[in-house]
């Protein structure tokens, strides 16, 4: 199942007070652009395989900066947008043709605070429906204005939702619907779910948060800036040691490696993942691995250590925090870590649901000094940097 995300960033909507004449997707928001936030969240999501931005080529330089800020190998070369949002999305869909994409998510760049949980929700809905969109049930009473801003009517609110993005679709069906709409419909569609509806597809609503609102005014931008500014960087460290015992393989950083011994421990003794789990817990100030998974508890005997790391990831999410990067150093004479490094980085990125470029794995011998040098065991140290709501 290959999933692409199209980030719609071609708009040239500028409000003088907002961004010195630049479109809002290039406004600065906590150290990077609004667009970079959107790109990064999709690039970091493990359910997304490639990310394509649709831009106005006049803003190529600003896009290039956002691309550096998002720093992900999933980001492909951008394509030029059209005269309308609808035309821009179609340009993105056309650019994906021939890439064997099964599902596509379409997202407005100007919704920089979209969460991984919202993307999860839309992807989950696509398992059972041909189309799905993030949306918020209306909380306010609606009035229709008549002449001179006098109320002409109160509109029944029950059953009304505000459409947000991402909106997800089976790629071939959305491409066909868009191409047909471009040929046959005189109406201008303001979102892709409306095109799916027009084409007769069933569209599911996925409850979303107000935090994923679109930045349109200077006030919206100021609110997003204060939400982002309230995040403070925090770093934690972890250290762990396991001794060798009789066996023929070791688990290191989520990867099983043939070896002359195994590592001894209550769980699978993955010393790298244990140090990393403690680093994340340390950054949160939330105890340590031994407190959450006591070795006295039979439940964790032989447990796969990715469970511990996934638990730490859930604790990060529950705090509204985000992992910026993690780094693990293994200390051992053998086995050789280098050949397994890419697989270890991938394993950790997958468990933490972050891009592989945010994961460091390194190894060193200790020059045959100490217990690691005598090949009695393996030690690991790790650090994790998080953005945590203050
Ligand atoms: Mg341990």
């Amino acid at each position: 199942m290959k999933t692409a995300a199209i980030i719609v960033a071609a708009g040239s909507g500028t409000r003088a007070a907002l961004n010195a004449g630049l479109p809002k997707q290039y406004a600065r928001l906590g150290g990077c652009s609004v667009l970079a936030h959107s790109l990064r969240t999709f690039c970091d999501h493990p359910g997304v395989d490639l990310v394509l931005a649709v831009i106005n080529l006049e803003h190529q330089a600003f896009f290039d900066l956002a691309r550096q800020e998002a720093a992900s190998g999933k980001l492909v070369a951008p394509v030029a947008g059209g005269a309308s949002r609808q035309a821009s999305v179609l340009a993105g869909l056309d650019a994906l043709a021939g890439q064997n994409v099964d599902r596509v998510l379409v997202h407005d760049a100007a919704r920089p605070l979209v969460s991984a949980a919202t993307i999860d929700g839309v992807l989950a809905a696509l398992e059972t429906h041909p189309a799905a969109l993030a949306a918020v049930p209306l909380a306010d009473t609606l009035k229709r204005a008549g002449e001179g801003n006098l109320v002409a009517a109160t509109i029944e609110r029950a059953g009304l939702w505000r459409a947000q993005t991402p909106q997800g679709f089976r790629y071939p069906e959305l491409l066909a619907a868009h191409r047909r709409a471009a040929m046959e419909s005189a109406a201008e569609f303001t979102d892709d779910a409306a095109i799916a509806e027009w084409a007769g597809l069933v569209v599911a609503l996925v409850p979303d948060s107000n935090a994923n609102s679109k930045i349109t005014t200077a006030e919206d931008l100021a609110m997003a800036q204060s939400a982002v500014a309230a995040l403070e960087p925090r770093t934690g460290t972890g250290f762990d040691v396991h001794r060798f015992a009789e066996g023929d393989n070791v688990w290191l950083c989520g990867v099983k490696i043939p070896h002359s011994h195994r590592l001894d421990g209550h769980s699978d003794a993955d010393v790298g993942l244990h140090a990393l789990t403690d680093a994340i817990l340390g950054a949160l100030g939330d105890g340590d691995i031994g407190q959450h998974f006591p070795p006295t508890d039979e439940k964790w005997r032989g447990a796969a250590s990715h469970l511990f790391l996934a638990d730490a990831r859930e604790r990060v999410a529950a705090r509204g925090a985000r992992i910026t990067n993690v780094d693990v150093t293994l200390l051992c004479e053998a086995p050789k870590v280098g050949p397994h490094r890419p697989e270890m980085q991938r394993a950790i990125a997958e468990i933490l649901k972050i891009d592989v470029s945010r994961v460091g794995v390194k190894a060193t011998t200790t020059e045959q000094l100490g217990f690691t040098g005598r090949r009695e065991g393996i030690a690991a140290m790790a650090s994790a940097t998080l953005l945590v709501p203050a």
Side-chain angles (χ1 to χ4, degrees):
M1 183 72 79
K2 187 170 180 184
T3 303
I6 294 175
I7 310 298
V8 189
S12 53
T14 54
R15 301 201 180 193
L18 184 59
N19 197 29
L22 259 187
K24 61 203 171 193
Q25 61 270 31
Y26 298 113
R28 303 303 288 176
L29 178 60
C32 64
S33 65
V34 166
L35 171 61
H37 280 272
S38 296
L39 294 174
R40 194 161 58 189
T41 303
F42 282 87
C43 287
D44 280 353
H45 196 284
V48 176
D49 300 293
L50 77 93
V51 177
L52 171 73
V54 184
I55 66 168
N56 179 335
L57 292 179
E58 282 177 25
H59 302 133
Q60 177 82 46
F62 295 101
F63 172 79
D64 289 342
L65 180 60
R67 183 191 349 227
Q68 283 171 26
E69 288 164 348
S72 171
K74 290 184 190 174
L75 194 53
V76 300
V79 295
S84 64
R85 184 186 186 283
Q86 184 182 339
S88 292
V89 174
L90 179 53
L93 291 168
D94 279 332
L96 293 173
Q99 300 210 41
N100 298 317
V101 169
D102 303 292
R103 304 184 296 191
V104 63
L105 297 169
V106 183
H107 183 69
D108 298 324
R111 299 181 190 275
L113 301 184
V114 58
S115 69
T118 294
I119 299 173
D120 283 340
V122 173
L123 288 177
L126 280 183
E127 301 287 330
T128 46
H129 298 90
L133 75 147
V136 180
L138 278 188
D140 299 322
T141 299
L142 289 183
K143 304 290 182 189
R144 186 184 303 283
E147 285 284 309
N149 275 358
L150 299 178
V151 173
T154 297
I155 295 166
E156 178 57 51
R157 173 179 78 193
L160 291 184
W161 294 59
R162 212 156 36 77
Q164 303 199 138
T165 68
Q167 304 190 345
F169 310 87
R170 294 171 190 161
Y171 171 74
E173 292 175 48
L174 185 65
L175 177 61
H178 252 276
R179 283 182 174 166
R180 205 152 66 75
M183 303 289 290
E184 296 174 15
S185 171
E188 181 69 38
F189 294 93
T190 52
D191 76 347
D192 305 285
I195 290 178
E197 293 158 46
W198 174 82
L201 300 177
V202 174
V203 184
L205 291 160
V206 178
D208 192 15
S209 132
N210 282 317
N212 187 23
S213 293
K214 195 175 194 173
I215 293 180
T216 306
T217 64
E219 185 189 6
D220 300 335
L221 181 62
M223 279 172 62
Q225 277 163 339
S226 49
V228 170
L231 296 174
E232 60 181 31
R234 296 191 187 176
T235 297
T237 64
F239 181 76
D240 195 29
V241 173
H242 282 267
R243 68 172 69 241
F244 282 129
E246 227 169 86
D248 57 12
N249 68 76
V250 291
W251 281 93
L252 288 176
C253 294
V255 177
K256 190 178 181 179
I257 300 170
H259 191 52
S260 55
H261 294 78
R262 68 178 170 87
L263 285 173
D264 195 22
H266 188 63
S267 65
D268 65 10
D270 187 327
V271 65
L273 291 193
H274 292 183
L276 181 52
T277 301
D278 264 355
I280 294 171
L281 294 174
L284 290 175
D286 188 1
D288 63 19
I289 194 170
Q291 179 192 335
H292 299 303
F293 302 96
T296 49
D297 191 337
E298 274 309 305
K299 192 163 62 174
W300 307 117
R301 179 171 294 284
S305 297
H306 64 77
L307 296 175
F308 307 153
L309 190 56
D311 174 80
R313 179 199 71 218
E314 293 305 318
R315 288 169 190 273
V316 170
R319 287 273 287 274
R322 200 160 68 75
I323 297 169
T324 301
N325 74 298
V326 298
D327 190 17
V328 182
T329 302
L330 298 166
L331 296 88
C332 58
E333 301 294 323
K336 282 231 172 305
V337 169
H340 304 283
R341 187 206 315 267
E343 200 184 340
M344 290 175 172
Q345 287 176 290
R346 275 198 301 275
I348 291 170
E350 199 158 299
I351 299 164
L352 292 178
K353 299 190 176 183
I354 58 177
D355 191 76
V356 74
S357 67
R358 299 179 185 278
V359 178
V361 173
K362 314 185 301 301
T364 181
T365 70
T366 52
E367 299 278 334
Q368 298 174 32
L369 296 170
F371 68 88
T372 52
R374 293 190 298 271
R375 300 171 185 252
E376 293 167 2
I378 298 182
M381 44 199 273
S383 70
T385 300
L386 276 51
L387 287 172
V388 185

